[in-house]
Amino acid sequence: KEMSTFQSGEGVGMIVFRSGVCVIHSHLRDRFHHSSIFAGASVNFAGEIKISKGKIKWISNKSGHYQPGLDCVKIILQWLRDSPRGVLLSEFPFDLVHSTEVSPEIMNFISSNKGSTHLLKRYNSNSQSKFLRVEPASLLLAALEKFGV
């Protein structure tokens, strides 16, 4: 069965990362949430992930419980890049929830290095979500590392 989340729909799973353990699972409304995975304990990152045919299509920091900031985004992207399989961050975008504060220096770094950012809205029957899409995710990580986030 394909993963799904209540907010983002079919094909999307929730992702939670803590101390080297990454869990991807469907969100089950009123039964299984980001906070269910580690019993509400703190985590390094929580969000959503879209995977198709074994490839990451996008990741977001969308989690109502944890509300991860750029420091958490940096942690998950570093872990993916440095994992034994070496995920290519240049192959997919990262979607930052609209409330994530991004400094002008980071935005300028991304645009001056031929990356792109644009506002994105996702709609489904349950909700509308707004994001700042940063392409590629590798450039977002480079900016976060450069500016000490």
Side-chain angles (χ1 to χ4, degrees):
K1 183 179 176 185
E2 191 171 35
M3 290 185 299
S4 68
T5 66
F6 178 71
Q7 295 291 324
S8 297
E10 292 295 316
V12 179
M14 54 182 193
I15 178 172
V16 180
F17 177 73
R18 177 180 170 192
S19 304
V21 176
C22 185
V23 177
I24 299 172
H25 198 282
S26 285
H27 170 248
L28 305 173
R29 187 172 183 196
D30 299 326
R31 291 184 27 224
F32 196 81
H33 308 273
H34 285 114
S35 57
S36 302
I37 295 170
F38 293 108
S42 64
V43 299
N44 301 109
F45 178 80
E48 292 184 330
I49 187 167
K50 172 113 178 156
I51 300 173
S52 178
K53 297 181 182 175
K55 295 197 180 260
I56 298 172
K57 295 301 182 183
W58 54 260
I59 299 176
S60 79
N61 62 331
K62 186 172 189 306
S63 171
H65 180 82
Y66 290 108
Q67 300 181 354
L70 291 176
D71 55 334
C72 299
V73 170
K74 179 179 167 185
I75 289 169
I76 193 65
L77 290 176
Q78 287 174 327
W79 182 78
L80 288 167
R81 177 195 64 197
D82 299 340
S83 71
R85 294 188 184 263
V87 175
L88 294 175
L89 304 181
S90 59
E91 304 274 317
F92 62 90
F94 198 99
D95 295 345
L96 297 167
V97 294
H98 73 281
S99 59
T100 307
E101 292 187 31
V102 181
S103 71
E105 292 85 11
I106 289 174
M107 295 295 286
N108 289 337
F109 179 86
I110 291 166
S111 63
S112 67
N113 284 282
K114 300 183 180 165
S116 70
T117 60
H118 62 274
L119 294 177
L120 172 71
K121 293 181 183 177
R122 282 199 202 104
Y123 299 92
N124 72 22
S125 59
N126 301 313
S127 70
Q128 170 188 323
S129 301
K130 296 178 190 174
F131 299 90
L132 174 67
R133 174 162 278 185
V134 180
E135 296 185 74
S138 56
L139 201 49
L140 175 58
L141 177 58
L144 297 176
E145 289 176 332
K146 178 176 176 68
F147 295 104
V149 171

